mmCIF file of all heavy atoms in Angstrom:
data_model
loop_
_atom_site.group_PDB
_atom_site.id
_atom_site.type_symbol
_atom_site.label_atom_id
_atom_site.label_comp_id
_atom_site.label_asym_id
_atom_site.label_seq_id
_atom_site.Cartn_x
_atom_site.Cartn_y
_atom_site.Cartn_z
ATOM 1 N N THR I 77 -9.028 26.659 -76.225
ATOM 2 C CA THR I 77 -10.434 26.271 -76.053
ATOM 3 C C THR I 77 -11.234 26.583 -77.320
ATOM 4 O O THR I 77 -12.129 25.819 -77.698
ATOM 5 C CB THR I 77 -11.031 27.015 -74.843
ATOM 6 O OG1 THR I 77 -10.106 26.894 -73.760
ATOM 7 C CG2 THR I 77 -12.361 26.451 -74.436
ATOM 8 N N THR I 106 -7.054 21.998 -69.966
ATOM 9 C CA THR I 106 -6.326 21.380 -71.085
ATOM 10 C C THR I 106 -5.311 22.334 -71.736
ATOM 11 O O THR I 106 -4.146 21.956 -71.911
ATOM 12 C CB THR I 106 -7.328 20.809 -72.106
ATOM 13 O OG1 THR I 106 -8.308 20.071 -71.374
ATOM 14 C CG2 THR I 106 -6.666 19.901 -73.121
ATOM 15 N N PHE I 134 -12.858 28.400 -63.452
ATOM 16 C CA PHE I 134 -13.761 29.542 -63.312
ATOM 17 C C PHE I 134 -14.521 29.793 -64.613
ATOM 18 O O PHE I 134 -13.898 29.939 -65.668
ATOM 19 C CB PHE I 134 -12.951 30.797 -62.955
ATOM 20 C CG PHE I 134 -12.095 30.586 -61.727
ATOM 21 C CD1 PHE I 134 -10.835 29.986 -61.847
ATOM 22 C CD2 PHE I 134 -12.556 30.939 -60.475
ATOM 23 C CE1 PHE I 134 -10.053 29.750 -60.717
ATOM 24 C CE2 PHE I 134 -11.775 30.705 -59.347
ATOM 25 C CZ PHE I 134 -10.526 30.110 -59.471
ATOM 26 N N ASP I 159 -2.280 5.810 -80.496
ATOM 27 C CA ASP I 159 -2.979 4.523 -80.533
ATOM 28 C C ASP I 159 -4.372 4.623 -79.903
ATOM 29 O O ASP I 159 -4.498 5.152 -78.787
ATOM 30 C CB ASP I 159 -2.130 3.483 -79.779
ATOM 31 C CG ASP I 159 -2.552 2.071 -80.124
ATOM 32 O OD1 ASP I 159 -3.743 1.735 -79.916
ATOM 33 O OD2 ASP I 159 -1.701 1.306 -80.613
ATOM 34 N N ALA I 164 -9.472 4.232 -75.232
ATOM 35 C CA ALA I 164 -10.270 3.275 -74.456
ATOM 36 C C ALA I 164 -9.751 3.189 -73.021
ATOM 37 O O ALA I 164 -10.542 3.108 -72.078
ATOM 38 C CB ALA I 164 -10.223 1.898 -75.122
ATOM 39 N N ASP I 171 -14.128 5.071 -65.705
ATOM 40 C CA ASP I 171 -15.141 4.119 -65.256
ATOM 41 C C ASP I 171 -14.696 3.449 -63.943
ATOM 42 O O ASP I 171 -15.461 3.357 -62.989
ATOM 43 C CB ASP I 171 -15.295 3.082 -66.378
ATOM 44 C CG ASP I 171 -16.407 2.113 -66.108
ATOM 45 O OD1 ASP I 171 -17.568 2.545 -66.204
ATOM 46 O OD2 ASP I 171 -16.117 0.941 -65.782
ATOM 47 N N VAL I 233 -31.808 24.614 -75.854
ATOM 48 C CA VAL I 233 -33.174 25.064 -76.180
ATOM 49 C C VAL I 233 -33.914 23.925 -76.901
ATOM 50 O O VAL I 233 -33.364 23.331 -77.843
ATOM 51 C CB VAL I 233 -33.130 26.339 -77.074
ATOM 52 C CG1 VAL I 233 -34.533 26.766 -77.505
ATOM 53 C CG2 VAL I 233 -32.413 27.470 -76.344
ATOM 54 N N TYR I 284 -11.552 22.198 -79.765
ATOM 55 C CA TYR I 284 -10.312 21.504 -80.143
ATOM 56 C C TYR I 284 -10.440 20.013 -80.446
ATOM 57 O O TYR I 284 -9.486 19.387 -80.878
ATOM 58 C CB TYR I 284 -9.220 21.713 -79.093
ATOM 59 C CG TYR I 284 -9.600 21.485 -77.636
ATOM 60 C CD1 TYR I 284 -9.938 20.233 -77.149
ATOM 61 C CD2 TYR I 284 -9.568 22.561 -76.744
ATOM 62 C CE1 TYR I 284 -10.245 20.047 -75.812
ATOM 63 C CE2 TYR I 284 -9.871 22.385 -75.396
ATOM 64 C CZ TYR I 284 -10.211 21.129 -74.933
ATOM 65 O OH TYR I 284 -10.511 20.956 -73.614
ATOM 66 N N LEU I 297 -28.061 13.645 -61.528
ATOM 67 C CA LEU I 297 -27.534 15.013 -61.522
ATOM 68 C C LEU I 297 -28.518 16.101 -61.966
ATOM 69 O O LEU I 297 -28.248 17.271 -61.779
ATOM 70 C CB LEU I 297 -26.292 15.088 -62.426
ATOM 71 C CG LEU I 297 -24.990 14.551 -61.826
ATOM 72 C CD1 LEU I 297 -23.888 14.563 -62.875
ATOM 73 C CD2 LEU I 297 -24.558 15.379 -60.628
ATOM 74 N N ILE I 334 -19.213 14.609 -56.130
ATOM 75 C CA ILE I 334 -19.524 14.511 -54.701
ATOM 76 C C ILE I 334 -21.033 14.503 -54.465
ATOM 77 O O ILE I 334 -21.528 13.812 -53.575
ATOM 78 C CB ILE I 334 -18.783 15.626 -53.929
ATOM 79 C CG1 ILE I 334 -17.311 15.219 -53.833
ATOM 80 C CG2 ILE I 334 -19.394 15.872 -52.546
ATOM 81 C CD1 ILE I 334 -16.384 16.199 -53.219
ATOM 82 N N ALA I 364 -0.088 16.236 -24.682
ATOM 83 C CA ALA I 364 -0.697 16.399 -26.022
ATOM 84 C C ALA I 364 0.400 16.278 -27.070
ATOM 85 O O ALA I 364 0.232 15.637 -28.115
ATOM 86 C CB ALA I 364 -1.394 17.747 -26.127
ATOM 87 N N VAL I 398 -10.744 9.901 -23.232
ATOM 88 C CA VAL I 398 -10.424 11.088 -22.428
ATOM 89 C C VAL I 398 -9.275 10.722 -21.499
ATOM 90 O O VAL I 398 -9.298 9.675 -20.840
ATOM 91 C CB VAL I 398 -11.638 11.578 -21.599
ATOM 92 C CG1 VAL I 398 -11.231 12.741 -20.707
ATOM 93 C CG2 VAL I 398 -12.776 11.982 -22.521
ATOM 94 N N LEU I 430 -0.751 5.003 -24.644
ATOM 95 C CA LEU I 430 -0.576 5.140 -26.096
ATOM 96 C C LEU I 430 -0.800 3.790 -26.770
ATOM 97 O O LEU I 430 -1.473 3.683 -27.792
ATOM 98 C CB LEU I 430 0.845 5.655 -26.397
ATOM 99 C CG LEU I 430 1.222 5.689 -27.873
ATOM 100 C CD1 LEU I 430 0.386 6.729 -28.621
ATOM 101 C CD2 LEU I 430 2.715 6.011 -28.060
#
Side-chain angles (χ1 to χ4, degrees):
T77 313
T106 313
F134 305 84
D159 197 302
D171 186 72
V233 176
Y284 48 66
L297 281 174
I334 285 175
V398 176
L430 173 67

